[in-house]
Amino acid sequence: MIIEIIVITLIGIIPLYAVLIWTYFNPEDSILFGNRWKYKEEPEPSDLAVRYVKGASLFSLIALTVILGLFILGHT
């Protein structure tokens, strides 16, 4: 039973990891995702916004990994 819960959790977390990795490597695209239609010309996010998004995605990846590791260790 516990193994099934861990496997389902890992499978469910994969899309979140994919989005966070994409956000880290393409912060400009992730900032403007779904909002490009609002602008006539191609907007350029500030360097501060790009650094913030990269830092937030890196922090989220690390925090998610730690939480997931503690969850798995707590259930085994």
Side-chain angles (χ1 to χ4, degrees), residues 2-3 6 9-10 65-76:
I2 293 174
I3 298 297
I6 292 173
T9 304
L10 289 174
T65 303
V66 169
I67 291 169
L68 190 61
L70 291 174
F71 173 76
I72 290 173
L73 288 176
H75 280 74
T76 56

Side-chain angles (χ1 to χ4, degrees), residues 15-30:
L16 184 56
Y17 269 109
V19 168
L20 288 172
I21 291 170
W22 174 73
T23 300
Y24 181 77
F25 287 112
N26 299 312
E28 296 89 2
D29 292 338
S30 67

Side-chain angles (χ1 to χ4, degrees), residues 24-45:
Y24 181 77
F25 287 112
N26 299 312
E28 296 89 2
D29 292 338
S30 67
I31 290 171
L32 297 172
F33 185 73
N35 292 320
R36 290 187 194 268
W37 63 273
K38 294 179 182 179
Y39 307 103
K40 291 181 182 179
E41 296 178 8
E42 183 71 22
E44 176 130 1

Side-chain angles (χ1 to χ4, degrees), residues 9 18 20 26-27 41 46 50-51 53-54 62-63:
T9 304
L20 288 172
N26 299 312
E41 296 178 8
S46 68
V50 170
R51 283 198 323 254
V53 168
K54 283 186 83 164
I62 293 169

